[in-house]
Amino acid sequence: MLGAYFDFIRIRFLTMLAYRINYYSGILIYTLNIGVNYFTWKAIYGGGESLGGFTGAQMTTYVAVSWMARAFYFNNLDREISTDIRDGSIAIQFIRPYNYVLVKMMQGLGEGLFRFMMLMIPGMIIAVLLFPVQLPTELSAWIGFLVMLFFSFLISSQINVITGLTAFFVENNEGVMRMKRVIVDLFSGLIVPITLFPGWLSSVLHVLPFQAITYLPGSVFTGRVQGVGIWNVLGVQVFWFLALIIPIVWLYHAARKRLFVQGG
Amino acid sequence: MYYLGLLFEYLKNYMKTRLTYRADFWVEVISDLLFQATNFIFILVIFMHTDSLGGWNQNEVVFVYGFFMVPFGVFSCFVNMWGFSERYIVKGEMDRVLTRPAHNLFQIFLENVDPPSLVGSFIGLIIMAISGANLGLPFEWWTIPALLVLTLSAVAIYTGIYTTLTSLSFYSDAPTGILPLMYNIQTYGRYPVTIYNRAIQVLLTWIVPFAFVGIYPAALFLHRDEMRSMALLTPVVGAVFLGIGLLSWNYGVKRYKGAGS
């Protein structure tokens, strides 16, 4: 049974491989995003030493790592699920002998592995060559980062699954999906590190799951958080991974009762 | 006139379909505004920590952002090419479009009109008015005509770029991921381009000229003389890129053979 789930990872990976040409443009665009953010922050820093606890060098690294992490964890599971729901093919998926949500997560992982190898690693190499990014030297920081990156993927995909499943309740969830994308990019700390937000907003963001996607791993990787703090970060990620299972299970069961197929 | 009538009919149709999903309309307006709000929040957060961005103060950057929203809203309303390849080529709807008398690109624009986007344009005008008042910008006789001309030129630039990119799907079978990624780049055209290094300046000015949909035209209203000549060049850039878009589109349509579905 478990083997079947692994096959979903493998098949999605191979499917992505067939369209790999698209990802060459992706590398370029992600590098460009890092570049533009780098110059914007450079202009913001001007002569200043540090902003919100980030030095200029740390900010550069943070920007590069955040965008590259996004290259890995980003996927369109929300869109896939809502398409399945809207064209009715979800009905067939529900009667098959597997868990639909778990299959989606596996497919997301297959895509993630592909994006890791074809987009994140080459993009990272280019970013390091072009911009003054400071990578950590200890092996433990790298292992820690990879573990946290995996949790970033899990939490981001869980949020995508939740967003996708809302298509059961609002017939056209295009708006919900767009809103999610904006909220994740902003509140995860991809665009602005959370410490730079005004105090009230950053304290709100500290109790939301989005920080666990980009901001927390990025803080560890840039060396702002060290020692015991790293375990705290990991703890927050594990907490949100477990907590987000609850709404998914609930939505999934509520959805199976509500299913009505709009044509197809 | 014929095309105007078509536009009217399509909008009527749009209203009918939309009124079936009433709540969805508002969700879309709100999600559009939220998207704009993230960029807006970025600007506000930046200016909590610094007084100037490459020599531009907060009100000026906010004003540029307000201007940026105006043509973007118009563009998103009338030109929406998301999912063109999947919908028209893979599913074969292009064949249906081609059998009709109106120009195929025009039909595709009409089939995807998205009036909620125009709300963004109105908010943009309000932002311009507020930050303009804060800056004490004079209201000249040419303000309104210039706003019209520059908005139309900026819409032409957007249309040109996205039509060119979408027409690539006539040449390649694989769906291209360039379109969504381009949406990321366009937002950088609204920051003072002088803060970027030479390569990015050239890119945003001449290759994918998103600086002409934000910072350059807005500089005209802000009386930033160093960018005046660039601002006046906007209509020319618009015409050139719209021309490239239409040419590559028409050429692509000629090569189109149908997906056989």
Short mmCIF file of all heavy atoms in Angstrom, two decimals, chain B residues 184-245:
data_model
loop_
_atom_site.label_atom_id
_atom_site.label_comp_id
_atom_site.label_asym_id
_atom_site.label_seq_id
_atom_site.Cartn_x
_atom_site.Cartn_y
_atom_site.Cartn_z
N ASN B 184 5.54 38.69 -11.55
CA ASN B 184 6.42 39.12 -10.47
C ASN B 184 7.27 40.30 -10.89
O ASN B 184 7.47 41.24 -10.14
CB ASN B 184 7.36 37.98 -10.07
CG ASN B 184 6.66 36.93 -9.26
OD1 ASN B 184 5.71 37.24 -8.56
ND2 ASN B 184 7.09 35.70 -9.37
N ILE B 185 7.79 40.23 -12.12
CA ILE B 185 8.74 41.26 -12.55
C ILE B 185 8.07 42.61 -12.71
O ILE B 185 8.64 43.63 -12.39
CB ILE B 185 9.39 40.85 -13.88
CG1 ILE B 185 10.18 39.56 -13.67
CG2 ILE B 185 10.31 41.93 -14.37
CD1 ILE B 185 10.86 39.11 -14.90
N GLN B 186 6.82 42.59 -13.20
CA GLN B 186 6.23 43.87 -13.54
C GLN B 186 6.12 44.80 -12.35
O GLN B 186 6.19 46.01 -12.51
CB GLN B 186 4.87 43.66 -14.18
CG GLN B 186 3.81 43.19 -13.22
CD GLN B 186 2.54 42.79 -13.96
OE1 GLN B 186 2.56 42.56 -15.15
NE2 GLN B 186 1.44 42.76 -13.25
N THR B 187 5.99 44.24 -11.15
CA THR B 187 5.83 45.11 -10.00
C THR B 187 7.10 45.92 -9.69
O THR B 187 7.02 46.92 -9.01
CB THR B 187 5.45 44.30 -8.75
OG1 THR B 187 6.36 43.22 -8.63
CG2 THR B 187 4.05 43.76 -8.85
N TYR B 188 8.23 45.46 -10.23
CA TYR B 188 9.45 46.20 -9.92
C TYR B 188 9.56 47.49 -10.70
O TYR B 188 10.36 48.36 -10.37
CB TYR B 188 10.68 45.33 -10.19
CG TYR B 188 10.65 44.07 -9.37
CD1 TYR B 188 10.82 42.84 -9.94
CD2 TYR B 188 10.41 44.16 -8.01
CE1 TYR B 188 10.75 41.69 -9.18
CE2 TYR B 188 10.33 43.01 -7.25
CZ TYR B 188 10.51 41.79 -7.84
OH TYR B 188 10.43 40.67 -7.09
N GLY B 189 8.74 47.62 -11.77
CA GLY B 189 8.80 48.84 -12.57
C GLY B 189 8.29 50.06 -11.83
O GLY B 189 8.39 51.16 -12.33
N ARG B 190 7.75 49.86 -10.63
CA ARG B 190 7.20 51.03 -9.97
C ARG B 190 8.15 51.61 -8.95
O ARG B 190 7.88 52.66 -8.38
CB ARG B 190 5.88 50.68 -9.31
CG ARG B 190 5.95 49.44 -8.51
CD ARG B 190 4.76 49.25 -7.67
NE ARG B 190 5.24 48.75 -6.41
CZ ARG B 190 5.23 47.46 -6.10
NH1 ARG B 190 4.70 46.59 -6.90
NH2 ARG B 190 5.72 47.05 -4.96
N TYR B 191 9.27 50.95 -8.69
CA TYR B 191 10.25 51.55 -7.81
C TYR B 191 11.19 52.41 -8.63
O TYR B 191 11.37 52.17 -9.82
CB TYR B 191 11.04 50.48 -7.07
CG TYR B 191 10.18 49.67 -6.14
CD1 TYR B 191 9.99 48.31 -6.33
CD2 TYR B 191 9.54 50.30 -5.08
CE1 TYR B 191 9.16 47.59 -5.50
CE2 TYR B 191 8.71 49.58 -4.24
CZ TYR B 191 8.53 48.23 -4.45
OH TYR B 191 7.71 47.53 -3.62
N PRO B 192 11.81 53.40 -8.00
CA PRO B 192 12.78 54.24 -8.73
C PRO B 192 13.82 53.33 -9.39
O PRO B 192 14.60 52.70 -8.69
CB PRO B 192 13.41 55.09 -7.63
CG PRO B 192 12.43 55.08 -6.51
CD PRO B 192 11.68 53.79 -6.60
N VAL B 193 13.81 53.24 -10.71
CA VAL B 193 14.70 52.29 -11.37
C VAL B 193 16.16 52.58 -11.10
O VAL B 193 17.02 51.71 -11.27
CB VAL B 193 14.50 52.25 -12.89
CG1 VAL B 193 13.31 51.41 -13.26
CG2 VAL B 193 14.42 53.62 -13.48
N THR B 194 16.44 53.81 -10.68
CA THR B 194 17.85 54.18 -10.47
C THR B 194 18.49 53.40 -9.33
O THR B 194 19.71 53.38 -9.22
CB THR B 194 17.95 55.68 -10.18
OG1 THR B 194 16.81 56.07 -9.39
CG2 THR B 194 17.94 56.48 -11.47
N ILE B 195 17.68 52.75 -8.47
CA ILE B 195 18.31 52.00 -7.38
C ILE B 195 18.86 50.67 -7.87
O ILE B 195 19.66 50.04 -7.19
CB ILE B 195 17.32 51.74 -6.21
CG1 ILE B 195 16.18 50.82 -6.63
CG2 ILE B 195 16.80 53.04 -5.63
CD1 ILE B 195 15.29 50.40 -5.46
N TYR B 196 18.43 50.22 -9.03
CA TYR B 196 18.90 48.92 -9.52
C TYR B 196 20.23 49.06 -10.24
O TYR B 196 20.64 50.16 -10.60
CB TYR B 196 17.87 48.32 -10.49
CG TYR B 196 16.51 48.15 -9.89
CD1 TYR B 196 15.39 48.57 -10.57
CD2 TYR B 196 16.35 47.56 -8.64
CE1 TYR B 196 14.12 48.41 -10.02
CE2 TYR B 196 15.10 47.40 -8.09
CZ TYR B 196 13.98 47.82 -8.78
OH TYR B 196 12.74 47.67 -8.24
N ASN B 197 20.89 47.94 -10.46
CA ASN B 197 22.13 48.03 -11.22
C ASN B 197 21.80 48.13 -12.70
O ASN B 197 20.67 47.97 -13.12
CB ASN B 197 23.09 46.89 -10.87
CG ASN B 197 22.76 45.61 -11.61
OD1 ASN B 197 21.68 45.46 -12.17
ND2 ASN B 197 23.69 44.68 -11.59
N ARG B 198 22.84 48.41 -13.48
CA ARG B 198 22.64 48.77 -14.88
C ARG B 198 21.85 47.69 -15.65
O ARG B 198 20.94 48.01 -16.41
CB ARG B 198 24.03 48.98 -15.51
CG ARG B 198 24.00 49.74 -16.79
CD ARG B 198 23.85 51.25 -16.61
NE ARG B 198 23.37 51.81 -17.88
CZ ARG B 198 22.19 52.40 -18.04
NH1 ARG B 198 21.38 52.55 -17.02
NH2 ARG B 198 21.83 52.85 -19.22
N ALA B 199 22.18 46.43 -15.39
CA ALA B 199 21.56 45.35 -16.16
C ALA B 199 20.05 45.34 -15.94
O ALA B 199 19.27 45.23 -16.90
CB ALA B 199 22.16 44.01 -15.76
N ILE B 200 19.63 45.47 -14.68
CA ILE B 200 18.19 45.43 -14.39
C ILE B 200 17.51 46.68 -14.92
O ILE B 200 16.39 46.62 -15.42
CB ILE B 200 17.97 45.23 -12.88
CG1 ILE B 200 18.52 43.87 -12.45
CG2 ILE B 200 16.50 45.33 -12.53
CD1 ILE B 200 18.36 43.56 -10.99
N GLN B 201 18.22 47.83 -14.86
CA GLN B 201 17.63 49.04 -15.44
C GLN B 201 17.35 48.86 -16.92
O GLN B 201 16.28 49.23 -17.41
CB GLN B 201 18.59 50.22 -15.26
CG GLN B 201 18.62 50.76 -13.85
CD GLN B 201 19.48 52.01 -13.76
OE1 GLN B 201 19.55 52.81 -14.68
NE2 GLN B 201 20.14 52.16 -12.64
N VAL B 202 18.34 48.31 -17.63
CA VAL B 202 18.17 48.09 -19.07
C VAL B 202 17.02 47.13 -19.32
O VAL B 202 16.15 47.36 -20.16
CB VAL B 202 19.48 47.57 -19.70
CG1 VAL B 202 19.25 47.11 -21.13
CG2 VAL B 202 20.53 48.66 -19.66
N LEU B 203 16.98 46.06 -18.52
CA LEU B 203 15.92 45.07 -18.68
C LEU B 203 14.54 45.69 -18.51
O LEU B 203 13.64 45.52 -19.33
CB LEU B 203 16.11 43.96 -17.64
CG LEU B 203 15.07 42.85 -17.68
CD1 LEU B 203 15.50 41.78 -18.66
CD2 LEU B 203 14.86 42.25 -16.31
N LEU B 204 14.38 46.48 -17.42
CA LEU B 204 13.07 47.04 -17.12
C LEU B 204 12.71 48.21 -18.03
O LEU B 204 11.57 48.63 -18.10
CB LEU B 204 13.03 47.53 -15.66
CG LEU B 204 12.88 46.45 -14.60
CD1 LEU B 204 13.02 47.05 -13.22
CD2 LEU B 204 11.56 45.73 -14.71
N THR B 205 13.72 48.77 -18.73
CA THR B 205 13.43 49.90 -19.60
C THR B 205 13.20 49.47 -21.04
O THR B 205 12.27 49.91 -21.69
CB THR B 205 14.58 50.92 -19.54
OG1 THR B 205 14.81 51.26 -18.18
CG2 THR B 205 14.23 52.18 -20.31
N TRP B 206 14.05 48.57 -21.52
CA TRP B 206 14.03 48.29 -22.95
C TRP B 206 13.60 46.88 -23.32
O TRP B 206 13.12 46.66 -24.43
CB TRP B 206 15.40 48.57 -23.59
CG TRP B 206 15.87 49.96 -23.33
CD1 TRP B 206 16.97 50.33 -22.61
CD2 TRP B 206 15.24 51.18 -23.75
NE1 TRP B 206 17.07 51.70 -22.56
CE2 TRP B 206 16.02 52.24 -23.26
CE3 TRP B 206 14.09 51.49 -24.50
CZ2 TRP B 206 15.71 53.58 -23.47
CZ3 TRP B 206 13.77 52.82 -24.72
CH2 TRP B 206 14.57 53.84 -24.22
N ILE B 207 13.78 45.90 -22.44
CA ILE B 207 13.49 44.52 -22.86
C ILE B 207 12.09 44.12 -22.44
O ILE B 207 11.28 43.72 -23.26
CB ILE B 207 14.56 43.56 -22.29
CG1 ILE B 207 15.92 43.99 -22.84
CG2 ILE B 207 14.25 42.12 -22.72
CD1 ILE B 207 17.11 43.31 -22.23
N VAL B 208 11.79 44.19 -21.15
CA VAL B 208 10.39 44.08 -20.69
C VAL B 208 10.09 45.42 -20.01
O VAL B 208 10.28 45.56 -18.82
CB VAL B 208 10.16 42.89 -19.74
CG1 VAL B 208 9.97 41.62 -20.53
CG2 VAL B 208 11.27 42.73 -18.75
N PRO B 209 9.60 46.40 -20.77
CA PRO B 209 9.65 47.80 -20.31
C PRO B 209 8.64 48.14 -19.23
O PRO B 209 7.83 49.03 -19.39
CB PRO B 209 9.37 48.58 -21.59
CG PRO B 209 8.56 47.68 -22.42
CD PRO B 209 8.98 46.27 -22.09
N PHE B 210 8.70 47.44 -18.11
CA PHE B 210 7.75 47.70 -17.05
C PHE B 210 8.00 49.01 -16.32
O PHE B 210 7.15 49.50 -15.58
CB PHE B 210 7.72 46.53 -16.06
CG PHE B 210 7.04 45.31 -16.61
CD1 PHE B 210 7.68 44.08 -16.59
CD2 PHE B 210 5.78 45.39 -17.16
CE1 PHE B 210 7.05 42.96 -17.11
CE2 PHE B 210 5.15 44.28 -17.68
CZ PHE B 210 5.79 43.06 -17.65
N ALA B 211 9.21 49.60 -16.52
CA ALA B 211 9.44 50.91 -15.92
C ALA B 211 8.52 51.95 -16.57
O ALA B 211 8.20 52.96 -15.96
CB ALA B 211 10.90 51.32 -16.09
N PHE B 212 8.06 51.67 -17.79
CA PHE B 212 7.18 52.61 -18.49
C PHE B 212 5.73 52.48 -18.06
O PHE B 212 4.88 53.20 -18.57
CB PHE B 212 7.28 52.39 -20.00
CG PHE B 212 8.53 52.96 -20.61
CD1 PHE B 212 9.58 52.15 -20.96
CD2 PHE B 212 8.64 54.33 -20.82
CE1 PHE B 212 10.73 52.68 -21.51
CE2 PHE B 212 9.78 54.87 -21.37
CZ PHE B 212 10.84 54.04 -21.72
N VAL B 213 5.41 51.54 -17.21
CA VAL B 213 4.03 51.48 -16.73
C VAL B 213 3.94 51.99 -15.30
O VAL B 213 2.87 51.96 -14.71
CB VAL B 213 3.44 50.04 -16.79
CG1 VAL B 213 3.54 49.49 -18.19
CG2 VAL B 213 4.13 49.12 -15.81
N GLY B 214 5.05 52.44 -14.74
CA GLY B 214 5.01 52.90 -13.36
C GLY B 214 5.83 54.15 -13.17
O GLY B 214 5.33 55.27 -13.26
N ILE B 215 7.12 53.95 -12.96
CA ILE B 215 7.95 55.06 -12.49
C ILE B 215 8.09 56.19 -13.51
O ILE B 215 7.97 57.36 -13.17
CB ILE B 215 9.33 54.52 -12.03
CG1 ILE B 215 10.13 55.59 -11.32
CG2 ILE B 215 10.11 53.94 -13.19
CD1 ILE B 215 9.76 55.74 -9.89
N TYR B 216 8.34 55.87 -14.79
CA TYR B 216 8.59 56.94 -15.76
C TYR B 216 7.39 57.84 -15.96
O TYR B 216 7.50 59.06 -15.81
CB TYR B 216 9.06 56.35 -17.11
CG TYR B 216 10.44 55.74 -17.09
CD1 TYR B 216 10.76 54.69 -17.94
CD2 TYR B 216 11.43 56.22 -16.24
CE1 TYR B 216 12.03 54.12 -17.93
CE2 TYR B 216 12.68 55.65 -16.21
CZ TYR B 216 12.99 54.60 -17.07
OH TYR B 216 14.23 54.04 -17.06
N PRO B 217 6.20 57.26 -16.30
CA PRO B 217 5.06 58.16 -16.49
C PRO B 217 4.68 58.90 -15.21
O PRO B 217 4.32 60.08 -15.26
CB PRO B 217 3.93 57.24 -16.95
CG PRO B 217 4.41 55.86 -16.78
CD PRO B 217 5.87 55.88 -16.67
N ALA B 218 4.79 58.23 -14.06
CA ALA B 218 4.42 58.89 -12.81
C ALA B 218 5.34 60.06 -12.52
O ALA B 218 4.93 61.06 -11.93
CB ALA B 218 4.43 57.90 -11.66
N ALA B 219 6.61 59.93 -12.97
CA ALA B 219 7.58 61.00 -12.73
C ALA B 219 7.15 62.30 -13.37
O ALA B 219 7.46 63.39 -12.87
CB ALA B 219 8.95 60.57 -13.26
N LEU B 220 6.40 62.20 -14.47
CA LEU B 220 5.92 63.41 -15.15
C LEU B 220 5.04 64.23 -14.21
O LEU B 220 5.19 65.44 -14.10
CB LEU B 220 5.14 63.00 -16.40
CG LEU B 220 4.76 64.14 -17.34
CD1 LEU B 220 6.00 64.69 -18.02
CD2 LEU B 220 3.76 63.66 -18.37
N PHE B 221 4.11 63.53 -13.52
CA PHE B 221 3.19 64.25 -12.63
C PHE B 221 3.92 64.75 -11.38
O PHE B 221 3.51 65.72 -10.77
CB PHE B 221 2.04 63.33 -12.20
CG PHE B 221 1.25 62.82 -13.36
CD1 PHE B 221 1.37 61.50 -13.77
CD2 PHE B 221 0.39 63.65 -14.06
CE1 PHE B 221 0.64 61.03 -14.85
CE2 PHE B 221 -0.34 63.20 -15.13
CZ PHE B 221 -0.21 61.87 -15.54
N LEU B 222 4.98 64.04 -11.01
CA LEU B 222 5.73 64.44 -9.82
C LEU B 222 6.75 65.53 -10.13
O LEU B 222 7.50 65.94 -9.24
CB LEU B 222 6.45 63.21 -9.23
CG LEU B 222 5.56 62.17 -8.58
CD1 LEU B 222 6.33 60.90 -8.28
CD2 LEU B 222 4.96 62.72 -7.29
N HIS B 223 6.79 65.98 -11.38
CA HIS B 223 7.75 67.00 -11.81
C HIS B 223 9.18 66.58 -11.54
O HIS B 223 10.00 67.39 -11.12
CB HIS B 223 7.45 68.35 -11.15
CG HIS B 223 6.11 68.89 -11.54
ND1 HIS B 223 5.91 69.69 -12.63
CD2 HIS B 223 4.88 68.72 -11.00
CE1 HIS B 223 4.63 69.99 -12.74
NE2 HIS B 223 3.97 69.40 -11.77
N ARG B 224 9.44 65.30 -11.73
CA ARG B 224 10.81 64.81 -11.64
C ARG B 224 11.45 64.99 -13.01
O ARG B 224 11.26 64.16 -13.91
CB ARG B 224 10.79 63.32 -11.26
CG ARG B 224 10.52 63.08 -9.81
CD ARG B 224 11.82 63.18 -9.08
NE ARG B 224 11.67 62.89 -7.66
CZ ARG B 224 12.71 62.59 -6.90
NH1 ARG B 224 13.91 62.52 -7.42
NH2 ARG B 224 12.54 62.36 -5.62
N ASP B 225 12.21 66.07 -13.16
CA ASP B 225 12.66 66.42 -14.50
C ASP B 225 13.64 65.42 -15.09
O ASP B 225 13.73 65.28 -16.30
CB ASP B 225 13.27 67.82 -14.49
CG ASP B 225 12.17 68.86 -14.26
OD1 ASP B 225 10.99 68.51 -14.51
OD2 ASP B 225 12.48 69.96 -13.81
N GLU B 226 14.36 64.68 -14.21
CA GLU B 226 15.37 63.78 -14.76
C GLU B 226 14.74 62.65 -15.56
O GLU B 226 15.40 62.00 -16.36
CB GLU B 226 16.26 63.23 -13.63
CG GLU B 226 15.64 62.16 -12.73
CD GLU B 226 14.92 62.72 -11.52
OE1 GLU B 226 14.50 63.90 -11.59
OE2 GLU B 226 14.77 61.99 -10.52
N MET B 227 13.45 62.40 -15.34
CA MET B 227 12.80 61.30 -16.06
C MET B 227 11.80 61.79 -17.08
O MET B 227 11.05 61.01 -17.64
CB MET B 227 12.11 60.37 -15.07
CG MET B 227 13.07 59.48 -14.33
SD MET B 227 12.20 58.32 -13.28
CE MET B 227 13.57 57.48 -12.50
N ARG B 228 11.77 63.13 -17.31
CA ARG B 228 10.72 63.65 -18.18
C ARG B 228 10.79 63.06 -19.59
O ARG B 228 9.77 62.64 -20.15
CB ARG B 228 10.79 65.16 -18.26
CG ARG B 228 9.72 65.68 -19.23
CD ARG B 228 9.72 67.18 -19.37
NE ARG B 228 9.29 67.81 -18.12
CZ ARG B 228 9.67 69.04 -17.79
NH1 ARG B 228 10.48 69.71 -18.57
NH2 ARG B 228 9.25 69.57 -16.66
N SER B 229 12.01 62.99 -20.14
CA SER B 229 12.11 62.50 -21.53
C SER B 229 11.65 61.05 -21.62
O SER B 229 11.00 60.65 -22.59
CB SER B 229 13.54 62.65 -22.04
OG SER B 229 14.43 62.12 -21.09
N MET B 230 11.94 60.26 -20.57
CA MET B 230 11.47 58.87 -20.56
C MET B 230 9.95 58.83 -20.51
O MET B 230 9.32 58.05 -21.21
CB MET B 230 12.03 58.12 -19.36
CG MET B 230 13.52 57.89 -19.41
SD MET B 230 14.04 57.23 -20.99
CE MET B 230 14.49 55.60 -20.51
N ALA B 231 9.36 59.71 -19.69
CA ALA B 231 7.90 59.73 -19.57
C ALA B 231 7.26 60.04 -20.92
O ALA B 231 6.27 59.42 -21.32
CB ALA B 231 7.48 60.76 -18.53
N LEU B 232 7.87 61.00 -21.65
CA LEU B 232 7.29 61.39 -22.93
C LEU B 232 7.46 60.29 -23.97
O LEU B 232 6.76 60.25 -24.97
CB LEU B 232 7.92 62.70 -23.42
CG LEU B 232 7.65 63.88 -22.48
CD1 LEU B 232 8.34 65.14 -22.97
CD2 LEU B 232 6.14 64.14 -22.35
N LEU B 233 8.39 59.38 -23.70
CA LEU B 233 8.64 58.29 -24.63
C LEU B 233 7.61 57.17 -24.47
O LEU B 233 7.51 56.27 -25.31
CB LEU B 233 10.04 57.75 -24.35
CG LEU B 233 10.85 57.19 -25.52
CD1 LEU B 233 11.03 58.25 -26.58
CD2 LEU B 233 12.21 56.73 -25.02
N THR B 234 6.85 57.20 -23.37
CA THR B 234 5.93 56.10 -23.06
C THR B 234 5.00 55.71 -24.22
O THR B 234 4.90 54.52 -24.54
CB THR B 234 5.09 56.43 -21.81
OG1 THR B 234 5.98 56.87 -20.79
CG2 THR B 234 4.33 55.23 -21.31
N PRO B 235 4.33 56.70 -24.88
CA PRO B 235 3.44 56.28 -25.99
C PRO B 235 4.19 55.56 -27.10
O PRO B 235 3.66 54.61 -27.68
CB PRO B 235 2.88 57.62 -26.49
CG PRO B 235 3.00 58.54 -25.35
CD PRO B 235 4.24 58.13 -24.61
N VAL B 236 5.44 55.99 -27.37
CA VAL B 236 6.21 55.34 -28.42
C VAL B 236 6.50 53.89 -28.04
O VAL B 236 6.28 52.96 -28.84
CB VAL B 236 7.55 56.10 -28.65
CG1 VAL B 236 8.35 55.44 -29.75
CG2 VAL B 236 7.28 57.55 -28.96
N VAL B 237 6.95 53.70 -26.81
CA VAL B 237 7.24 52.34 -26.35
C VAL B 237 5.97 51.49 -26.41
O VAL B 237 5.99 50.33 -26.83
CB VAL B 237 7.82 52.36 -24.91
CG1 VAL B 237 8.05 50.95 -24.40
CG2 VAL B 237 9.12 53.14 -24.89
N GLY B 238 4.84 52.11 -26.01
CA GLY B 238 3.57 51.39 -26.06
C GLY B 238 3.26 50.93 -27.47
O GLY B 238 2.91 49.77 -27.70
N ALA B 239 3.40 51.85 -28.45
CA ALA B 239 3.09 51.50 -29.83
C ALA B 239 4.00 50.39 -30.33
O ALA B 239 3.55 49.43 -30.97
CB ALA B 239 3.23 52.74 -30.71
N VAL B 240 5.30 50.51 -30.02
CA VAL B 240 6.26 49.51 -30.50
C VAL B 240 5.93 48.13 -29.94
O VAL B 240 5.83 47.14 -30.67
CB VAL B 240 7.70 49.91 -30.12
CG1 VAL B 240 8.66 48.76 -30.36
CG2 VAL B 240 8.12 51.14 -30.90
N PHE B 241 5.70 48.06 -28.62
CA PHE B 241 5.49 46.74 -28.02
C PHE B 241 4.13 46.15 -28.39
O PHE B 241 4.01 44.95 -28.59
CB PHE B 241 5.70 46.80 -26.50
CG PHE B 241 7.14 46.63 -26.15
CD1 PHE B 241 8.03 47.70 -26.25
CD2 PHE B 241 7.64 45.40 -25.77
CE1 PHE B 241 9.37 47.55 -25.97
CE2 PHE B 241 8.98 45.24 -25.48
CZ PHE B 241 9.85 46.31 -25.59
N LEU B 242 3.12 47.02 -28.52
CA LEU B 242 1.84 46.52 -28.98
C LEU B 242 1.98 45.96 -30.39
O LEU B 242 1.43 44.90 -30.71
CB LEU B 242 0.79 47.63 -28.96
CG LEU B 242 -0.64 47.20 -29.26
CD1 LEU B 242 -1.13 46.21 -28.22
CD2 LEU B 242 -1.57 48.40 -29.32
N GLY B 243 2.77 46.67 -31.23
CA GLY B 243 3.01 46.20 -32.60
C GLY B 243 3.68 44.83 -32.60
O GLY B 243 3.25 43.91 -33.31
N ILE B 244 4.72 44.68 -31.77
CA ILE B 244 5.42 43.39 -31.70
C ILE B 244 4.44 42.29 -31.28
O ILE B 244 4.40 41.20 -31.86
CB ILE B 244 6.59 43.45 -30.68
CG1 ILE B 244 7.65 44.44 -31.18
CG2 ILE B 244 7.20 42.07 -30.47
CD1 ILE B 244 8.75 44.69 -30.17
N GLY B 245 3.60 42.62 -30.27
CA GLY B 245 2.64 41.64 -29.78
C GLY B 245 1.69 41.19 -30.88
O GLY B 245 1.49 39.99 -31.10
#
